[in-house]
Amino acid sequence: MRRALLSLIVLAAIAPASASADFAPVDKPGPPLSVPQAALDASMTCTGNVAGATRAPVLLVPATAVNPHANYSWNWEPALSALNIPWCTVELPGNSMGDIQVAGEYVVHAIRKMYAVAGRKIAIIGHSQGGMLPRWALRFWPDTRGMVDDQIGFAGSNHGTVVAAPVCLPGCSPAFQQQRSDSEFTKALNSGQETFPGISYTEVYTHTDWVVVPNLDSSGSSSLHGGGGDISNVAVQDICPLDLNEHLLLGTIDPVAYALAIDALTHPGPANPSRVAAGVCLQGLMPGVNPLTFATDLASAATVLATTIATYPHVSSEPPLACYVLATGCPGATGSTAGKRVKSCRKAKKRRGRALTNKRKRCKRKAPKRRKQPL
């Protein structure tokens, strides 16, 4: 009863408060990327077998406050390599602590690049913010949807977290502000529809999560619903009731999360918990983690996390939503009210007589100055 009551309370907190009509339609083409091409290219590190891959290569997206090396070099990278699964990592600005909208452009580029090089659809694995961030790319750059087969998230902050609000009272990083359950970013992320046809979504969460809250059941933050995608929302405790791994360990060492992800990668559709062997509950670490260096590897990752959080500049509110996110669009963009007014004024210049003089006056008064489209 207590869990059911808490679920009802937090459901109201994580539900988007704005109508989807406030945001861009889901089929609206994405804007040009504003991040310099050199920075986008430099953000990716890949194995040599991505080109012409015989199986879907995996894009690894890191969590908030860490880089790909801290998040994946001692677990998922060796695990995927051992299975001969090609992979790439994408390094995000400020260890994923800056504006997530900007980080989203890096993921868009990575998806497009991997798809082009591999010549086939790719899979995505992400932890925490990294489990949620690819959905921003899929939501606002529709061309990427046909390039992705599997989207796999570990403790993804898909609907934000209710603990971010008190944490951010004195100020916090832009990414923390955006991952509040009541943020405008979270509303925009889940506007229109949460999933898309043709993509398999495997969302793995843990009941002991203390960062992305709530995650008591499939009504919590990490789980996805509707939209047309093929979805599997699974708590590790659904398979191993005594699994006590919390938020940080779920995406780095948890053997159940690993088994679910590999099941999704090696079968059509998302993970199916019934295919996961019961023996996984007896494993302490996922494959790829070296038991001899596990303690130092984990400590090193924790140091990066703590240092980034302690040193990254704080802001008092979340970054404003980019204009491409909104239903009103960007000033000067094709199809906008401003754009139509400018076209109307250009036509007026070709006319003759008194009507031309009146029209020109209105154009001079109303037509906005042309400027570079903000992103």
Side-chain angles (χ1 to χ4, degrees), residues 38-56:
L40 295 173
D41 291 337
S43 69
M44 295 182 66
T45 299
C46 299
T47 55
N49 55 346
V50 172
T54 58
R55 60 197 305 176

mmCIF file with all atom_site columns, all heavy atoms in Angstrom, residues 38-56:
data_model
loop_
_atom_site.group_PDB
_atom_site.id
_atom_site.type_symbol
_atom_site.label_atom_id
_atom_site.label_alt_id
_atom_site.label_comp_id
_atom_site.label_asym_id
_atom_site.label_entity_id
_atom_site.label_seq_id
_atom_site.pdbx_PDB_ins_code
_atom_site.Cartn_x
_atom_site.Cartn_y
_atom_site.Cartn_z
_atom_site.occupancy
_atom_site.B_iso_or_equiv
_atom_site.pdbx_formal_charge
_atom_site.auth_seq_id
_atom_site.auth_comp_id
_atom_site.auth_asym_id
_atom_site.auth_atom_id
_atom_site.pdbx_PDB_model_num
ATOM 1   N N   . ALA A 1 38 ? 34.594 20.044  -36.538 1.00 0.00 ? 38 ALA A N   1
ATOM 2   C CA  . ALA A 1 38 ? 35.832 19.502  -35.963 1.00 0.00 ? 38 ALA A CA  1
ATOM 3   C C   . ALA A 1 38 ? 35.600 18.974  -34.551 1.00 0.00 ? 38 ALA A C   1
ATOM 4   O O   . ALA A 1 38 ? 36.141 17.931  -34.164 1.00 0.00 ? 38 ALA A O   1
ATOM 5   C CB  . ALA A 1 38 ? 36.927 20.570  -35.961 1.00 0.00 ? 38 ALA A CB  1
ATOM 6   N N   . ALA A 1 39 ? 34.775 19.689  -33.776 1.00 0.00 ? 39 ALA A N   1
ATOM 7   C CA  . ALA A 1 39 ? 34.483 19.258  -32.413 1.00 0.00 ? 39 ALA A CA  1
ATOM 8   C C   . ALA A 1 39 ? 33.641 17.986  -32.425 1.00 0.00 ? 39 ALA A C   1
ATOM 9   O O   . ALA A 1 39 ? 33.847 17.079  -31.606 1.00 0.00 ? 39 ALA A O   1
ATOM 10  C CB  . ALA A 1 39 ? 33.749 20.369  -31.652 1.00 0.00 ? 39 ALA A CB  1
ATOM 11  N N   . LEU A 1 40 ? 32.703 17.901  -33.337 1.00 0.00 ? 40 LEU A N   1
ATOM 12  C CA  . LEU A 1 40 ? 31.874 16.707  -33.445 1.00 0.00 ? 40 LEU A CA  1
ATOM 13  C C   . LEU A 1 40 ? 32.725 15.487  -33.802 1.00 0.00 ? 40 LEU A C   1
ATOM 14  O O   . LEU A 1 40 ? 32.589 14.416  -33.199 1.00 0.00 ? 40 LEU A O   1
ATOM 15  C CB  . LEU A 1 40 ? 30.785 16.913  -34.497 1.00 0.00 ? 40 LEU A CB  1
ATOM 16  C CG  . LEU A 1 40 ? 29.726 17.980  -34.199 1.00 0.00 ? 40 LEU A CG  1
ATOM 17  C CD1 . LEU A 1 40 ? 28.832 18.185  -35.415 1.00 0.00 ? 40 LEU A CD1 1
ATOM 18  C CD2 . LEU A 1 40 ? 28.887 17.609  -32.987 1.00 0.00 ? 40 LEU A CD2 1
ATOM 19  N N   . ASP A 1 41 ? 33.593 15.657  -34.776 1.00 0.00 ? 41 ASP A N   1
ATOM 20  C CA  . ASP A 1 41 ? 34.447 14.542  -35.207 1.00 0.00 ? 41 ASP A CA  1
ATOM 21  C C   . ASP A 1 41 ? 35.388 14.099  -34.090 1.00 0.00 ? 41 ASP A C   1
ATOM 22  O O   . ASP A 1 41 ? 35.614 12.900  -33.901 1.00 0.00 ? 41 ASP A O   1
ATOM 23  C CB  . ASP A 1 41 ? 35.253 14.937  -36.440 1.00 0.00 ? 41 ASP A CB  1
ATOM 24  C CG  . ASP A 1 41 ? 34.384 15.115  -37.677 1.00 0.00 ? 41 ASP A CG  1
ATOM 25  O OD1 . ASP A 1 41 ? 33.275 14.533  -37.720 1.00 0.00 ? 41 ASP A OD1 1
ATOM 26  O OD2 . ASP A 1 41 ? 34.798 15.851  -38.597 1.00 0.00 ? 41 ASP A OD2 1
ATOM 27  N N   . ALA A 1 42 ? 35.945 15.073  -33.352 1.00 0.00 ? 42 ALA A N   1
ATOM 28  C CA  . ALA A 1 42 ? 36.911 14.757  -32.292 1.00 0.00 ? 42 ALA A CA  1
ATOM 29  C C   . ALA A 1 42 ? 36.253 14.070  -31.098 1.00 0.00 ? 42 ALA A C   1
ATOM 30  O O   . ALA A 1 42 ? 36.948 13.455  -30.281 1.00 0.00 ? 42 ALA A O   1
ATOM 31  C CB  . ALA A 1 42 ? 37.613 16.034  -31.837 1.00 0.00 ? 42 ALA A CB  1
ATOM 32  N N   . SER A 1 43 ? 34.930 14.156  -30.973 1.00 0.00 ? 43 SER A N   1
ATOM 33  C CA  . SER A 1 43 ? 34.243 13.598  -29.801 1.00 0.00 ? 43 SER A CA  1
ATOM 34  C C   . SER A 1 43 ? 34.106 12.081  -29.860 1.00 0.00 ? 43 SER A C   1
ATOM 35  O O   . SER A 1 43 ? 33.813 11.451  -28.851 1.00 0.00 ? 43 SER A O   1
ATOM 36  C CB  . SER A 1 43 ? 32.845 14.216  -29.673 1.00 0.00 ? 43 SER A CB  1
ATOM 37  O OG  . SER A 1 43 ? 31.988 13.781  -30.722 1.00 0.00 ? 43 SER A OG  1
ATOM 38  N N   . MET A 1 44 ? 34.332 11.493  -31.035 1.00 0.00 ? 44 MET A N   1
ATOM 39  C CA  . MET A 1 44 ? 34.086 10.064  -31.211 1.00 0.00 ? 44 MET A CA  1
ATOM 40  C C   . MET A 1 44 ? 35.371 9.239   -31.184 1.00 0.00 ? 44 MET A C   1
ATOM 41  O O   . MET A 1 44 ? 36.386 9.624   -31.735 1.00 0.00 ? 44 MET A O   1
ATOM 42  C CB  . MET A 1 44 ? 33.353 9.801   -32.527 1.00 0.00 ? 44 MET A CB  1
ATOM 43  C CG  . MET A 1 44 ? 31.959 10.391  -32.585 1.00 0.00 ? 44 MET A CG  1
ATOM 44  S SD  . MET A 1 44 ? 31.131 9.980   -34.143 1.00 0.00 ? 44 MET A SD  1
ATOM 45  C CE  . MET A 1 44 ? 30.955 8.181   -33.976 1.00 0.00 ? 44 MET A CE  1
ATOM 46  N N   . THR A 1 45 ? 35.287 8.087   -30.513 1.00 0.00 ? 45 THR A N   1
ATOM 47  C CA  . THR A 1 45 ? 36.351 7.085   -30.523 1.00 0.00 ? 45 THR A CA  1
ATOM 48  C C   . THR A 1 45 ? 35.701 5.749   -30.864 1.00 0.00 ? 45 THR A C   1
ATOM 49  O O   . THR A 1 45 ? 34.708 5.372   -30.239 1.00 0.00 ? 45 THR A O   1
ATOM 50  C CB  . THR A 1 45 ? 37.045 6.991   -29.154 1.00 0.00 ? 45 THR A CB  1
ATOM 51  O OG1 . THR A 1 45 ? 37.629 8.258   -28.836 1.00 0.00 ? 45 THR A OG1 1
ATOM 52  C CG2 . THR A 1 45 ? 38.125 5.915   -29.160 1.00 0.00 ? 45 THR A CG2 1
ATOM 53  N N   . CYS A 1 46 ? 36.247 5.046   -31.855 1.00 0.00 ? 46 CYS A N   1
ATOM 54  C CA  . CYS A 1 46 ? 35.610 3.822   -32.340 1.00 0.00 ? 46 CYS A CA  1
ATOM 55  C C   . CYS A 1 46 ? 36.612 2.687   -32.514 1.00 0.00 ? 46 CYS A C   1
ATOM 56  O O   . CYS A 1 46 ? 37.809 2.917   -32.724 1.00 0.00 ? 46 CYS A O   1
ATOM 57  C CB  . CYS A 1 46 ? 34.936 4.069   -33.696 1.00 0.00 ? 46 CYS A CB  1
ATOM 58  S SG  . CYS A 1 46 ? 33.630 5.319   -33.686 1.00 0.00 ? 46 CYS A SG  1
ATOM 59  N N   . THR A 1 47 ? 36.095 1.478   -32.449 1.00 0.00 ? 47 THR A N   1
ATOM 60  C CA  . THR A 1 47 ? 36.900 0.310   -32.801 1.00 0.00 ? 47 THR A CA  1
ATOM 61  C C   . THR A 1 47 ? 37.023 0.245   -34.323 1.00 0.00 ? 47 THR A C   1
ATOM 62  O O   . THR A 1 47 ? 36.228 0.836   -35.054 1.00 0.00 ? 47 THR A O   1
ATOM 63  C CB  . THR A 1 47 ? 36.247 -0.978  -32.280 1.00 0.00 ? 47 THR A CB  1
ATOM 64  O OG1 . THR A 1 47 ? 34.901 -1.050  -32.764 1.00 0.00 ? 47 THR A OG1 1
ATOM 65  C CG2 . THR A 1 47 ? 36.239 -1.007  -30.760 1.00 0.00 ? 47 THR A CG2 1
ATOM 66  N N   . GLY A 1 48 ? 38.018 -0.499  -34.784 1.00 0.00 ? 48 GLY A N   1
ATOM 67  C CA  . GLY A 1 48 ? 38.277 -0.536  -36.217 1.00 0.00 ? 48 GLY A CA  1
ATOM 68  C C   . GLY A 1 48 ? 37.284 -1.331  -37.029 1.00 0.00 ? 48 GLY A C   1
ATOM 69  O O   . GLY A 1 48 ? 37.295 -1.250  -38.260 1.00 0.00 ? 48 GLY A O   1
ATOM 70  N N   . ASN A 1 49 ? 36.423 -2.095  -36.376 1.00 0.00 ? 49 ASN A N   1
ATOM 71  C CA  . ASN A 1 49 ? 35.515 -2.956  -37.122 1.00 0.00 ? 49 ASN A CA  1
ATOM 72  C C   . ASN A 1 49 ? 34.111 -2.379  -37.279 1.00 0.00 ? 49 ASN A C   1
ATOM 73  O O   . ASN A 1 49 ? 33.163 -3.103  -37.582 1.00 0.00 ? 49 ASN A O   1
ATOM 74  C CB  . ASN A 1 49 ? 35.429 -4.346  -36.473 1.00 0.00 ? 49 ASN A CB  1
ATOM 75  C CG  . ASN A 1 49 ? 35.048 -4.298  -35.001 1.00 0.00 ? 49 ASN A CG  1
ATOM 76  O OD1 . ASN A 1 49 ? 35.095 -3.240  -34.376 1.00 0.00 ? 49 ASN A OD1 1
ATOM 77  N ND2 . ASN A 1 49 ? 34.684 -5.436  -34.436 1.00 0.00 ? 49 ASN A ND2 1
ATOM 78  N N   . VAL A 1 50 ? 33.969 -1.054  -37.087 1.00 0.00 ? 50 VAL A N   1
ATOM 79  C CA  . VAL A 1 50 ? 32.673 -0.422  -37.319 1.00 0.00 ? 50 VAL A CA  1
ATOM 80  C C   . VAL A 1 50 ? 32.380 -0.366  -38.817 1.00 0.00 ? 50 VAL A C   1
ATOM 81  O O   . VAL A 1 50 ? 31.248 -0.604  -39.253 1.00 0.00 ? 50 VAL A O   1
ATOM 82  C CB  . VAL A 1 50 ? 32.627 0.995   -36.710 1.00 0.00 ? 50 VAL A CB  1
ATOM 83  C CG1 . VAL A 1 50 ? 31.347 1.724   -37.113 1.00 0.00 ? 50 VAL A CG1 1
ATOM 84  C CG2 . VAL A 1 50 ? 32.725 0.927   -35.191 1.00 0.00 ? 50 VAL A CG2 1
ATOM 85  N N   . ALA A 1 51 ? 33.391 -0.055  -39.619 1.00 0.00 ? 51 ALA A N   1
ATOM 86  C CA  . ALA A 1 51 ? 33.210 0.039   -41.066 1.00 0.00 ? 51 ALA A CA  1
ATOM 87  C C   . ALA A 1 51 ? 32.780 -1.310  -41.633 1.00 0.00 ? 51 ALA A C   1
ATOM 88  O O   . ALA A 1 51 ? 33.443 -2.324  -41.435 1.00 0.00 ? 51 ALA A O   1
ATOM 89  C CB  . ALA A 1 51 ? 34.502 0.505   -41.727 1.00 0.00 ? 51 ALA A CB  1
ATOM 90  N N   . GLY A 1 52 ? 31.655 -1.296  -42.336 1.00 0.00 ? 52 GLY A N   1
ATOM 91  C CA  . GLY A 1 52 ? 31.157 -2.527  -42.915 1.00 0.00 ? 52 GLY A CA  1
ATOM 92  C C   . GLY A 1 52 ? 30.812 -3.581  -41.885 1.00 0.00 ? 52 GLY A C   1
ATOM 93  O O   . GLY A 1 52 ? 30.971 -4.783  -42.141 1.00 0.00 ? 52 GLY A O   1
ATOM 94  N N   . ALA A 1 53 ? 30.352 -3.178  -40.716 1.00 0.00 ? 53 ALA A N   1
ATOM 95  C CA  . ALA A 1 53 ? 30.068 -4.106  -39.622 1.00 0.00 ? 53 ALA A CA  1
ATOM 96  C C   . ALA A 1 53 ? 29.055 -5.167  -40.044 1.00 0.00 ? 53 ALA A C   1
ATOM 97  O O   . ALA A 1 53 ? 28.114 -4.895  -40.781 1.00 0.00 ? 53 ALA A O   1
ATOM 98  C CB  . ALA A 1 53 ? 29.526 -3.340  -38.416 1.00 0.00 ? 53 ALA A CB  1
ATOM 99  N N   . THR A 1 54 ? 29.270 -6.385  -39.572 1.00 0.00 ? 54 THR A N   1
ATOM 100 C CA  . THR A 1 54 ? 28.358 -7.492  -39.875 1.00 0.00 ? 54 THR A CA  1
ATOM 101 C C   . THR A 1 54 ? 27.241 -7.600  -38.849 1.00 0.00 ? 54 THR A C   1
ATOM 102 O O   . THR A 1 54 ? 26.358 -8.443  -38.989 1.00 0.00 ? 54 THR A O   1
ATOM 103 C CB  . THR A 1 54 ? 29.134 -8.816  -39.933 1.00 0.00 ? 54 THR A CB  1
ATOM 104 O OG1 . THR A 1 54 ? 29.794 -9.036  -38.673 1.00 0.00 ? 54 THR A OG1 1
ATOM 105 C CG2 . THR A 1 54 ? 30.182 -8.783  -41.043 1.00 0.00 ? 54 THR A CG2 1
ATOM 106 N N   . ARG A 1 55 ? 27.297 -6.791  -37.812 1.00 0.00 ? 55 ARG A N   1
ATOM 107 C CA  . ARG A 1 55 ? 26.245 -6.722  -36.808 1.00 0.00 ? 55 ARG A CA  1
ATOM 108 C C   . ARG A 1 55 ? 26.146 -5.276  -36.338 1.00 0.00 ? 55 ARG A C   1
ATOM 109 O O   . ARG A 1 55 ? 27.051 -4.476  -36.564 1.00 0.00 ? 55 ARG A O   1
ATOM 110 C CB  . ARG A 1 55 ? 26.547 -7.659  -35.637 1.00 0.00 ? 55 ARG A CB  1
ATOM 111 C CG  . ARG A 1 55 ? 27.850 -7.344  -34.919 1.00 0.00 ? 55 ARG A CG  1
ATOM 112 C CD  . ARG A 1 55 ? 28.325 -8.501  -34.059 1.00 0.00 ? 55 ARG A CD  1
ATOM 113 N NE  . ARG A 1 55 ? 27.319 -8.938  -33.118 1.00 0.00 ? 55 ARG A NE  1
ATOM 114 C CZ  . ARG A 1 55 ? 27.482 -9.986  -32.311 1.00 0.00 ? 55 ARG A CZ  1
ATOM 115 N NH1 . ARG A 1 55 ? 28.621 -10.670 -32.341 1.00 0.00 ? 55 ARG A NH1 1
ATOM 116 N NH2 . ARG A 1 55 ? 26.529 -10.344 -31.477 1.00 0.00 ? 55 ARG A NH2 1
ATOM 117 N N   . ALA A 1 56 ? 25.046 -4.943  -35.705 1.00 0.00 ? 56 ALA A N   1
ATOM 118 C CA  . ALA A 1 56 ? 24.828 -3.555  -35.316 1.00 0.00 ? 56 ALA A CA  1
ATOM 119 C C   . ALA A 1 56 ? 25.917 -3.065  -34.363 1.00 0.00 ? 56 ALA A C   1
ATOM 120 O O   . ALA A 1 56 ? 26.095 -3.637  -33.280 1.00 0.00 ? 56 ALA A O   1
ATOM 121 C CB  . ALA A 1 56 ? 23.466 -3.409  -34.646 1.00 0.00 ? 56 ALA A CB  1
#
